[in-house]
Amino acid sequence: MWVCSTLWRVRTAARQWRRLLPASGCHGPAASSYSASAEPARVRALVYGHHGDPAKVVELKNLELAAVGGSDVHVKMLAAPINPSDINMIQGNYGLLPELPAVGGNEGVAQVVAVGSNVTGLKPGDWVIPANAGLGTWRTEAVFSEEALIQVPSDIPLQSAATLGVNPCTAYRMLMDFEQLQPGDSVIQNASNSGVGQAVIQIAAALGLRTINVVRDRPDIQKLSDRLKSLGAEHVITEEELRRPEMKNFFKDMPQPRLALNCVGGKSSTELLRQLARGGTMVTYGGMAKQPVIASVSLLIFKDLKLRGFWLSQWKKDHSPDQFKELILTLCDLIRRDQLTAPACSQVPLQDYQSALEASMKPFMSSKQILTM
């Protein structure tokens, strides 16, 4: 059942891709022009025709904009981030892969330009984000079906809107869905300076939860620690500090965490498990170290720890579109109350995508690359 649903989503993404045909026309007849001109409207997009190193396989191409059908929406992309999942998808190492060639990008915010005659939920000027992964957001304009988009309020910051649909959603669901946490409870996480990590810190603070945030040591560790604490982090420690015997004294002044959030794997995930309270849960949502999660047999037996996984695409499959919209609106409320801000960002013009892709894959890069159109 999961495989069938995933294939349906991939094929849907592929159909969205075909709404933008290569300007050369080598993949089929030219699409009808939406404009009054006889010439089809041209848009720029970052396209990859095969999997591999993003810096080598992604190209900036001119594409033709398809005609707007009755249930379609013509949008102008405003901003789109480069996320780890985008990189993995281009490399061919992700759980959902669109048919090739494909436009890169799973997240971003666009403004509605025009709508088809059967569209009732959107109007020109509205801001929208993708309803699912695989839509291809690294382009200047596009024509999508109404069901492929979700409206977001236009009174939130542009960077917050552009980075709303993946990392904050992941952070919120992991905090809410695995342990029944109460104000004063603690949560421990690694990769705490990632997009998800920064969202976890802020959402946890809004919920009254205390966070222990693990990061890799680096030359500017104090600067990073200060920035995470300004977001609401209670403690920021390095991977090396987490492994020290003195950590056993750490929980004299705060409760042991019942929830651990793992985005690294390997030794880092093992250390997170060691800090969990009896009966606690570690949720894995990434594997930056590209190493397996290693769990001590004694911890599983004597502390009855639970190992779980989380993938936002699967959560969407298991829940209705209205539930995802409700999640988005909940996060927008936090943004309006200044309890959730976008991660540290660097805005990069679309034509400078090469430098943005390279920067997004550098170690210790704390600034998310956002393509502006």
Side-chain angles (χ1 to χ4, degrees):
M1 182 67 182
W2 181 88
V3 173
C4 293
S5 177
T6 300
L7 288 174
W8 180 85
R9 291 182 186 275
V10 171
R11 287 165 180 161
T12 299
R15 286 196 294 272
Q16 297 295 348
W17 151 254
R18 292 191 186 103
R19 291 177 181 274
L20 279 179
L21 300 172
S24 64
C26 61
H27 291 279
S32 301
S33 172
Y34 169 62
S35 66
S37 167
E39 288 296 320
R42 298 294 174 88
V43 302
R44 293 180 301 159
L46 296 180
V47 180
Y48 58 103
H50 57 276
H51 297 123
D53 181 354
K56 295 180 180 179
V57 301
V58 174
E59 299 177 285
L60 182 60
K61 292 189 174 184
N62 290 320
L63 305 176
E64 295 176 4
L65 190 65
V68 177
S71 300
D72 292 337
V73 180
H74 173 199
V75 300
K76 178 186 183 300
M77 293 302 305
L78 301 177
I82 299 177
N83 290 319
S85 57
D86 301 323
I87 299 299
N88 293 338
M89 191 174 282
I90 295 169
Q91 293 170 332
N93 301 323
Y94 198 64
L96 185 157
L97 298 175
E99 292 183 12
L100 302 180
V103 176
N106 292 300
E107 188 180 30
V109 61
Q111 187 172 44
V112 175
V113 175
V115 301
S117 58
N118 298 328
V119 174
T120 58
L122 296 170
K123 62 184 185 302
D126 286 346
W127 280 14
V128 292
I129 63 173
N132 289 297
L135 203 58
T137 56
W138 297 349
R139 45 179 144 192
T140 54
E141 296 180 64
V143 172
F144 297 126
S145 65
E146 182 182 14
E147 66 181 13
L149 303 169
I150 291 179
Q151 182 181 358
V152 296
S154 58
D155 62 348
I156 62 175
L158 180 67
Q159 289 186 349
S160 294
T163 57
L164 177 61
V166 177
N167 293 333
C169 294
T170 296
Y172 188 88
R173 291 268 53 103
M174 290 194 300
L175 287 171
M176 299 298 290
D177 293 353
F178 295 92
E179 288 286 339
Q180 300 302 310
L181 301 175
Q182 302 297 325
D185 287 344
S186 67
V187 176
I188 188 169
Q189 65 167 340
N190 55 24
S192 303
N193 60 313
S194 66
V196 171
Q198 293 178 56
V200 165
I201 290 170
Q202 296 176 83
I203 296 170
L207 296 172
L209 303 175
R210 307 170 69 177
T211 55
I212 305 155
N213 302 278
V214 184
V215 297
R216 290 179 293 177
D217 197 8
R218 63 195 69 204
D220 62 344
I221 184 64
Q222 189 58 51
K223 180 180 178 182
L224 174 60
S225 177
D226 291 343
R227 182 164 65 81
L228 295 182
K229 287 182 178 179
S230 73
L231 296 177
E234 183 165 345
H235 298 283
V236 179
I237 61 176
T238 65
E239 296 276 2
E240 290 75 15
E241 291 171 329
L242 184 65
R243 291 194 286 269
R244 291 175 183 169
E246 293 80 9
M247 274 300 296
K248 65 183 180 181
N249 301 320
F250 192 85
F251 298 105
K252 289 182 177 180
D253 300 322
M254 70 183 302
Q256 275 191 287
R258 292 166 51 199
L259 179 66
L261 305 177
N262 168 47
C263 185
V264 178
K267 293 180 179 179
S268 179
S269 59
T270 303
E271 293 300 324
L272 289 189
L273 278 172
R274 290 180 59 239
Q275 310 307 326
L276 278 176
R278 176 177 174 78
T281 301
M282 184 173 77
V283 181
T284 293
Y285 67 97
M288 293 170 57
K290 298 182 179 179
Q291 295 174 356
V293 171
I294 301 174
S296 162
V297 171
S298 62
L299 289 177
L300 294 177
I301 295 174
F302 301 122
K303 292 183 72 175
D304 191 24
L305 301 182
K306 300 180 287 292
L307 302 179
R308 300 290 302 274
F310 182 83
W311 185 30
L312 184 62
S313 293
Q314 184 65 33
W315 184 90
K316 290 179 184 179
K317 171 185 174 293
D318 295 337
H319 296 78
S320 70
D322 285 342
Q323 288 174 299
F324 182 53
K325 291 176 184 178
E326 182 180 353
L327 171 58
I328 291 296
L329 292 178
T330 297
L331 295 170
C332 287
D333 286 341
L334 292 176
I335 293 171
R336 289 195 188 97
R337 296 200 296 264
D338 294 325
Q339 293 178 311
L340 179 62
T341 62
C345 298
S346 297
Q347 295 190 174
V348 182
L350 184 67
Q351 61 268 23
D352 297 331
Y353 70 95
Q354 285 279 8
S355 62
L357 287 171
E358 291 170 1
S360 69
M361 293 185 285
K362 287 182 179 178
F364 305 119
M365 175 57 66
S366 297
S367 181
K368 182 171 290 294
Q369 305 296 298
I370 293 188
L371 300 170
T372 55
M373 316 306 171

